[in-house]
Amino acid sequence: MYSLLMKELKLGVNPFFYVLPLLTGALMLIPGWLYFLVILYFCFITVPNMLGGYKSQNDLMFTSMLPVSKKDIVKARVSFIVILELLHLVIAAIYGMISVRLYPNLTYLFFSPSFGFWGLCFVMLAIFNIILIPMYFKTAYKYGAPTIASTLAALLFAGSAEWIGIQNSYVFELFKGTGADRIAIHALILAAGIAIFAIATIIAYHIAYKRFLKVEL
């Protein structure tokens, strides 16, 4: 599995997509911007290009010729997706910390880059993974419908969260008002988001593996 993961890291995407988080993450420096979009660029840009590259290069046929199991193929690709997601999140969070210090007195209409916000981003990616990964591995070839469905679901979550954050006074205060200073609550939201992300991704992996077993290579 380690060798397969190395193959994914070296050949899975164009090296530009390792630089992309540095470019999209810089959008966190825009004061009061819709910061969910910074993470959503992973769904908009990286995933379609990555899966499209696999298809154009006939990667599935090549990988099936290697002395590896289907389980390792799924595990390596899911691990690679998670690594890219964490890369986007960590770099965006670093930019977010810089943004908070640049604009300490900014009044936010949308979510500020707090610990709680990053917890919500983990939940958004959990939704994305649990739809994308099982749908994609039903064929491990067709990626259009899985990408569209998972991206729309992530967009729906982000839009709903932002709407609730504007309409609900408690959520507004928690993320944008005086409650934004409650580190313990925000840390709890972050921990819950990470847990949901991990559980959803593991479930997605197991479903994907069972579906991939039925794929004729």
Side-chain angles (χ1 to χ4, degrees), residues 29-49:
L29 301 178
I30 301 175
W33 203 55
L34 187 56
Y35 295 132
F36 271 120
L37 286 173
V38 175
I39 306 303
L40 281 167
Y41 280 121
F42 169 79
C43 310
F44 296 154
I45 302 174
T46 303
V47 169
N49 279 278

Side-chain angles (χ1 to χ4, degrees), residues 36 111 117 119-125 127 151-164:
F36 271 120
F111 284 111
F117 168 74
L120 295 179
C121 287
F122 271 106
V123 175
M124 180 178 71
L125 288 177
I127 294 169
T151 301
L152 286 176
L155 273 170
L156 181 61
F157 173 82
S160 299
E162 290 288 1
W163 183 83
I164 292 172

